[in-house]
Amino acid sequence: MNLLEVEGLEKSFGGVTAISDLHFEVPPGLVYSVIGPNGAGKTTLFNMLSGIYKPDEGRVRFDDHDLNGLLPHQVAQLGVSRTFQNLQLFFNMSVLDNVMVGCHLRSHSGPLSGALRLPNVRREEELTEHWGHEALEFCGLDDLIGREASALPYGALKRLEIARALASRPRLLMMDEPAAGLNDTETVELRALIRRICDAGITVLLVEHNMGLVMQVSDRILVLDYGSRLAEGSPEQIRSDPKVIEAYLGGEVQYAV
Amino acid sequence: MWDQILQFLFTGVTVGATYALVALGFAIIYNASDVVNFAQGEFVMMGAMCAVFLYSGSGLPLPVALLLAVALTIVLGMSFQRFAIARARGASVVSTIIITIGASIFLRGVALLLWGKDILAMPHFSGETPIQLGRATLLPQNLWVMGGTGVMVLAVHYFFHHTTLGKAVIACSCNRTAAHLVGINVGLMMLIAYGLSAFLGAMAGVLVTPITFTSYDAGVMLGLKGFSAAILGGMGNPMGAVAGGLLLGLIESMAAGLISSGYKDAIGFVVLLLVLFLRPSGLFGKASAERV
Amino acid sequence: MSQRKGFYLLTLLVVLLPLLFPDNYFVTVVAVSAGLNAILAVSLNLLMGYAGQISLGHAAFFGMGAYTSAILTTKFAWNPWPAMVAGMILTGTIAFFMARPVLKLKGHYLAMATLGFGIIINIILVQAVGLTGGPDGLGEIPTLSFFGWQVDTDLRWYIVIGSCMLLVVWLALNLINSRSGRALRALHGSEVAAEMMGIDTTATKTGVFVMAALIASLAGSLFAHQQSFVSPDSCDFFFSIELVTMVVLGGMASTYGAVFGAIVLTFLPELLVVFEDFEVMIFGAILMSMMIFLPQGMFVGMQNLLQRLTHRRSALPGEDPNEPA
Ligand SMILES: Nc1ncnc2c1ncn2[C@@H]1O[C@H](COP(=O)(O)OP(=O)(O)OP(=O)(O)O)[C@@H](O)[C@H]1O
Ligand SMILES: [Mg+2]
């Protein structure tokens, strides 16, 4: 049984075809990577999977639910979360608040009881704070807990986005270029983090340009080129696929760690 | 019936031309500096009040008084940029809005202090003999307003599209840093934008005051209408602003004539709201989708 | 917790003022206006400061509450309490139906739409003479009474409005630090990310819009009974702008900032009266210079300054001092 199934997905913007007739399946428990040159349509794919864009054609199924026509918050309710290529953090909030927003779906109190600060709200607040700490700790951000998000260095911000997404306890976590802008040490830490996420039973859908990271961390890889599926397979298969090498600047694929 | 409609049309175009000039001023400042200038209406009032004062207060010949009034308002607009807006770089959008509101209150206060609360009149430029067109009539001053607006709109269009200076102003609005790096004097361009905006406001003021009269608070409603027109056309699109102004003037004049003069402003705003609900970026504005 | 300390301080201030300065015009009259304005500013701040949805038409909701109370009590001899509730129901309903199309708009378009809405309401109040009394307004509105306790002196009004203000402040503070409050702030920070975390942003925006409108309506009803007179001037475009100014002047996204801004902006004109003809001009100049020199708002600006002086790193919990430039 696949966790995610994509069938015949299409999307174009005006004259630009961003995704065309795309099929793939993601089994649960894997790190599944989507790679491809700039403009290949990876982010567009993520945006469709998460309900931000409506596909022109095709179907997305997540764990037996049809995602077509759902709004992002409805997709999130099914257990999908994501990070963004250009940081979409709540810079007007503290680090802890950011992850606590991530816990939104795990708590239930409404505005009225919140405004009255009823006893059950207080308990829920404490619990949420605890979950927030957990998520931050999981991503190695516990020492930054008291800070404002706007005061964090770039690398920490990238991790904060992951922590926020994890705080919602997703079953599928989509990460759009989590290593972009990170230095080598941070990238190594990220690799370990992705593995830990996967070990925690969360399926990871990863878009990434850093081939070293992709090859080391992925179980399967989907290669996009001009919005279509160019190849799909294990890292070994992809590494030796002539079509892939061709697409990546005539064969100059960097496998450095 | 049709004569009446023709009459409303004349009124509508005249009023609309004023709105168009104010809206154009809005658009220019918005494009240059991302500021929604709520003091735009006060430029109109200042131009008109100065002209009235210089003409009837110090007995200057009308053309000289008009020229001086417009020049004074330009200086005012530039000082506003230099001493208020430029100092508030980095302030948020709402903060800058409050600054421009402060400026508009300030200018109103100055006008109140200098000229009191009276409603003031100004002579028509070339007599008050009505021109008959069918059974509708037109004052020569209406023609001045329409013609003057037409000339200025064309001039502004030419300035931004066919002169180096105009293009430099546009460059600053697209990307300040890049403009600076290619050697454009950004500060100067901002002064020009605000000066131009004040010029358009003052011209609107002196052109229309013979018909509408003026007072220290005449700028408020005009400013609002100008903002509405700019939004109607699509914020940041100068020619859209002009079209929005004319349209708003026409709607109001038709509404006043055919429905109710008391509700004419309300009807104008209702139309504006409906347009926004259907086209969230105005009639000629580009829809801006944020990419994630 | 500083949040709570702030609240105690505010309560203390409200209690002490009339004890220290009984029968003082500034306490029993101006402070009552300041209290009403504070209620309005706090409610607008929920919408504008926290949720990031600018509104230049907040006075319209205030006016709806005020006029519903005025009309129902004077023309239909209703008891003030059900009239007040009717006002809130009417205002809430209108706000609810306005919210969807209006809050789809962004930035200046949103500002324009709310501004237009406010002006339309005001024009209706001026024009529907039969119902509203037109430009002359409506007078002889009865006062409130709590189980026989007539609110008929300045001091009693001070007590009523002071308590209401404290209540609204307390509710706002709680709300902002709750799950729903975080949702509000989150959609200000990034609408897509908020959605992706499971927040129904459309519903949240509608909710806060309606809530702000309800509070404004309540303030309007109180105003009508307190003044025993309402006119379109009391809820016109200028008042909407004034409310926005209070929020920005105090500092966006700070409940205490909104209260502070309301107090400053209510007292300032009273103090400037001594300048007579120069009053308007000086008021404008002060407004401009405050925003130029403290663009984050006075309260928040001073708070930040204090923090820098005392070397504290983190901000008051729940009071986010600034957004990224
Ligand atoms: N909202 C949009 N409006 C118009 N065109 C868009 C939009 N989003 C994406 N595109 C276009 O779709 C194509 C695919 O873009 P997309 O961002 O999905 O690529 P990508 O694979 O994520 O690239 P990168 O590696 O640079 O992030 C590009 O040509 C892009 O310009
Ligand atoms: Mg991308």
Side-chain angles (χ1 to χ4, degrees), chain A residues 42-44 85 176-177 207 209:
Chain A
K42 305 177 295 290
T43 300
T44 306
Q85 181 171 0
D176 199 348
E177 304 199 13
V207 160
H209 280 296

